[in-house]
Amino acid sequence: MPVILFVRITSGLDAQEFERRLLERRPRFHDVPSLLQKVYGRDSATGDVCGIYFFESPEALDAFRETELARTIPAAYEAVEVRREVYEVLYSLRPDRGPFAESSHRADTTA
């Protein structure tokens, strides 16, 4: 079953330096096995930044958590606070699009 990892980081870095570091590390995520997609976001009110990761399975997420790349995220962004949440994918609004288009998960039976 596919999973989503949501990570929100509060940092003392200014927005420009934070983004420079994001862009510097971004290519390394292309090599993470079973990472289908990663979306980067910023809360304009607080300056907090989030990463939304789409993994093929809980096992893929567990394997990622053991990597040097994952372990160095808080230090790389001089995180003051890190919030991590994991969600199982239940349904897609448009199952023919997006990171889980080819995944076989529960059929959408709700409107």
Side-chain angles (χ1 to χ4, degrees), residues 15-30:
Q16 186 176 2
E17 177 60 16
F18 201 108
E19 187 163 344
R20 186 193 69 75
R21 294 182 189 194
L22 281 174
L23 293 172
E24 179 182 276
R25 291 172 57 92
R26 183 177 166 195
R28 296 176 63 193
F29 287 92
H30 288 281

Side-chain angles (χ1 to χ4, degrees), residues 74-95:
Y77 304 114
E78 299 182 29
V80 175
E81 183 180 348
V82 178
R83 185 178 87 211
R84 295 175 188 88
E85 300 174 15
V86 176
Y87 302 92
E88 294 177 350
V89 174
L90 299 177
Y91 309 104
S92 295
L93 174 65
R94 295 184 177 94

Side-chain angles (χ1 to χ4, degrees), residues 8-11 13-15 18 41-50:
R8 182 177 180 125
I9 295 176
T10 303
S11 171
L13 295 173
D14 65 52
F18 201 108
R42 181 181 319 273
D43 182 329
S44 61
T46 66
D48 289 355
V49 176
C50 73

